[in-house]
Amino acid sequence: MPELPEVQTVLNGLAEALNGIELISLKCLYPNTVRYVGLEHDEVLPDKVIGLERRGKYLILHLKRSHSLIIHLRMTGKLIIDPCSATENKHQRACFSLSDGAFLRFIDIRTFGKIVVCKSEELPLSLPKLGPEPLGKDFDVPYLQKALMRKGLPVKNALLDQKLVAGLGNIYACEILYRAKIAPQKAANTLSKKNLEQIVLHTREVLQEAIANNGTSISDFRRVDDKTGQFQNFLRVYQKAECPLGHGIKRIKQGGRSTFYCPVCQK
DNA sequence: CAATGATCCTGTCCGC
DNA sequence: TGCGGACAGGATCATT
């Protein structure tokens, strides 16, 4: 499930593959995968990609003439550069043809992923309200302290809220709390200043390590060249039986999602 | 405003 | 072997 490091990995791959490339066409191959906001289909492409941006788990492609594409991979979405035109894939939901003759395929088993096309100036209207970037300077202890002040929900659930901080998902939320030594059930507004410092520190640390390893390929995630990431080899609690110190990992449900944690290391 | 729960969707895994 | 059901979960919407 693509979270911030996986989306960044895709962006890094696309930045290389789409350098100087023109998008010739975009075919929608599954209902509602591609959505045009206040636009006609035929007024957007062909156009050149002039920049890529990531905001939380959203990937944004800026085109030269006044339009932008917002892509969200959700759980099983993949963007694959394919030099071959004849490749069959029953989970292909959309496909760009590129000016170098290759194809950029949007493959998504569970069909939750979306591509939104809008005018660049209306980008803020098509993007939801998101919290600060966890790797940016706005994500710090004073911010967290203020944002969590009135939140009585478990800290694990708080970290998954994209309006609190943009880009964390289930895997990294579990890994951050393990490294920060905080029990996932702990109410967000009861965290100590030390707790908050540890969250900020280890959020940055885990995400940077994961990006350096091209993300985590637990189920479907792939890089644009269809290779897997490597960070699944460095997970300490997610889907593990024991933590690195040999304690048994507990698995619980929070907000309908699995949380993995070490009851000995995390208090 | 805060928090919870249902919803979307399909491949995989488990028990019988 | 096959079938039903549970599970995986990001974001959105509805409800309490």
Side-chain angles (χ1 to χ4, degrees):
Chain A
M1 13 207 117
E3 305 178 31
L4 187 152
E6 290 73 42
V7 178
Q8 186 65 45
T9 298
V10 170
L11 184 151
N12 293 345
L14 286 182
E16 203 172 321
L18 296 182
N19 184 22
I21 293 286
E22 201 174 41
L23 303 182
I24 303 298
S25 68
L26 169 58
K27 274 193 200 139
C28 182
L29 302 168
Y30 183 87
N32 304 317
T33 294
V34 181
R35 186 165 65 93
Y36 292 83
V37 180
L39 291 173
E40 296 304 320
H41 301 44
D42 56 9
E43 64 182 291
V44 179
L45 299 183
D47 200 0
K48 197 169 173 183
V49 180
I50 56 165
L52 292 102
E53 186 186 352
R54 181 192 54 71
R55 183 74 179 92
K57 299 173 201 172
Y58 295 82
L59 187 59
I60 305 169
L61 274 63
H62 297 287
L63 304 183
K64 190 167 188 184
R65 294 183 295 119
S66 73
H67 298 108
S68 295
L69 303 149
I70 304 170
I71 304 178
H72 199 302
L73 304 173
R74 293 287 187 108
M75 272 102 65
T76 55
K78 298 191 272 187
L79 283 169
I80 304 293
I81 297 279
D82 181 3
C84 173
S85 68
T87 309
E88 297 276 345
N89 187 315
K90 69 169 173 172
H91 302 305
Q92 181 171 229
R93 309 305 182 189
C95 180
F96 294 91
S97 65
L98 309 179
S99 55
D100 62 356
F103 297 84
L104 175 59
R105 304 188 186 280
F106 185 55
I107 293 162
D108 183 16
I109 293 174
R110 272 173 268 186
T111 72
F112 290 179
K114 293 285 178 279
I115 300 175
V116 174
V117 188
C118 68
K119 290 184 177 140
S120 298
E121 61 189 32
E122 292 174 2
L123 210 41
L125 297 173
S126 292
L127 270 179
K129 292 270 172 284
L130 295 170
E133 286 293 324
L135 295 175
K137 62 173 169 34
D138 294 341
F139 182 68
D140 58 12
V141 173
Y143 166 76
L144 266 189
Q145 201 157 31
K146 185 150 184 282
L148 296 178
M149 209 162 40
R150 331 174 154 271
K151 300 217 182 255
L153 81 174
V155 56
K156 158 71 169 7
N157 304 49
L159 290 180
L160 294 180
D161 181 357
Q162 304 300 300
K163 295 191 289 303
L164 178 80
V165 54
L168 303 182
N170 208 34
I171 297 173
Y172 294 104
C174 291
E175 294 295 315
I176 289 163
L177 289 175
Y178 175 75
R179 292 187 183 209
K181 299 181 165 36
I182 301 168
Q185 308 91 330
K186 193 162 168 126
N189 56 7
T190 64
L191 297 174
S192 66
K193 191 164 181 219
K194 175 90 188 284
N195 286 157
L196 298 177
E197 286 167 1
Q198 293 294 302
I199 288 177
V200 171
L201 176 72
H202 291 290
T203 296
R204 297 218 171 101
E205 187 187 271
V206 171
L207 296 179
Q208 278 163 359
E209 285 178 25
I211 291 169
N213 284 281
N214 291 304
T216 300
S217 291
I218 282 275
S219 55
D220 303 278
F221 173 68
R222 292 293 184 277
R223 300 159 63 178
V224 297
D225 53 8
D226 215 15
K227 289 180 183 159
T228 60
Q230 292 305 319
F231 195 67
Q232 63 276 14
N233 300 322
F234 302 97
L235 296 175
R236 299 184 186 176
V237 288
Y238 189 82
Q239 291 186 353
K240 298 288 174 192
E242 292 182 353
C243 83
L245 300 183
H247 309 128
I249 295 296
K250 266 193 132 177
R251 175 182 185 151
I252 58 173
K253 282 273 179 195
Q254 293 185 290
R257 266 154 241 177
S258 297
T259 298
F260 297 82
Y261 75 105
C262 172
V264 179
C265 298
Q266 296 172 254
K267 294 296 179 191

